[in-house]
Amino acid sequence: GDSVTQMEGPVTLSEEAFLTINCTYTATGYPSLFWYVQYPGEGLQLLLKATKADDKGSNKGFEATYRKETTSFHLEKGSVQVSDSAVYFCALSVNDYKLSFGAGTTVTVRA
Amino acid sequence: GAGVSQSPRYKVAKRGQDVALRCDPISGHVSLFWYQQALGQGPEFLTYFQNEAQLDKSGLPSDRFFAERPEGSVSTLKIQRTQQEDSAVYLCASSLAGQAQETQYFGPGTRLLVL
């Protein structure tokens, strides 16, 4: 079935460090890919998305490129802040409405 | 504007009790979703409504789980005869029309603990 595998956490970084969270997918069709973020005490919210191969999603300094050849959608940010501390979820949707999520990666940024 | 709201935020139930979890979607959103998130895991799809029609309930784990959206707005997820394995966060999400690329907006969740 359709699934997402993402890098296990937790990840701890210092402020201004570079962040990468790996995400790979398995899908029978052509999925749309998403990164959702859950800040402490808040609900899941969409961070960015890409709907076709080679698309780049970006938001709040985060970027991810839809790579069909490697079935990947890695999340990157060049310089993290303490406020980026959260749980990050990679997700996909294949030609329908269901979101299939990865297990989540907890990121902690130290001042 | 107001986002998706859920109530209660926390629920403790004794094993065997019935519980009802409420979701108020964003006004005007046609599609409504329920997900179950176990501790340390990503959300898992439970069921999907388009207006009042339940179009997909393939993710409901057993016949003890029942969801409804009778007027196409508020939805209730009911769990009968709760078991300890039902302990999880139950998330509700809504979207404008339920298309694959569309953003789903999530509520804060209801954390259910079954003792």
Side-chain angles (χ1 to χ4, degrees), chain A residues 78-93:
Chain A
S79 177
V80 293
Q81 305 300 313
V82 171
S83 57
D84 294 323
S85 297
V87 183
Y88 293 82
F89 294 91
C90 187
L92 66 79
S93 179

Side-chain angles (χ1 to χ4, degrees), chain A residues 32 36 46 49 96-98 102, chain B residues 37 42 56 58 100-101 103-104:
Chain A
S32 296
Y36 276 81
L46 180 68
K49 66 181 182 183
D96 63 15
Y97 39 81
K98 295 180 194 178
Chain B
Q37 186 176 16
D56 188 339
S58 62
Q101 298 91 344
T103 299
Q104 293 185 20

Side-chain angles (χ1 to χ4, degrees), chain A residues 53-80:
Chain A
D54 300 324
D55 270 1
K56 178 186 284 188
S58 61
N59 186 25
K60 298 182 179 181
F62 289 88
E63 291 184 342
T65 302
Y66 187 165
R67 301 285 188 202
K68 186 179 175 184
E69 63 276 13
T70 55
T71 62
S72 65
F73 193 54
H74 304 322
L75 182 69
E76 297 182 336
K77 185 172 185 181
S79 177
V80 293

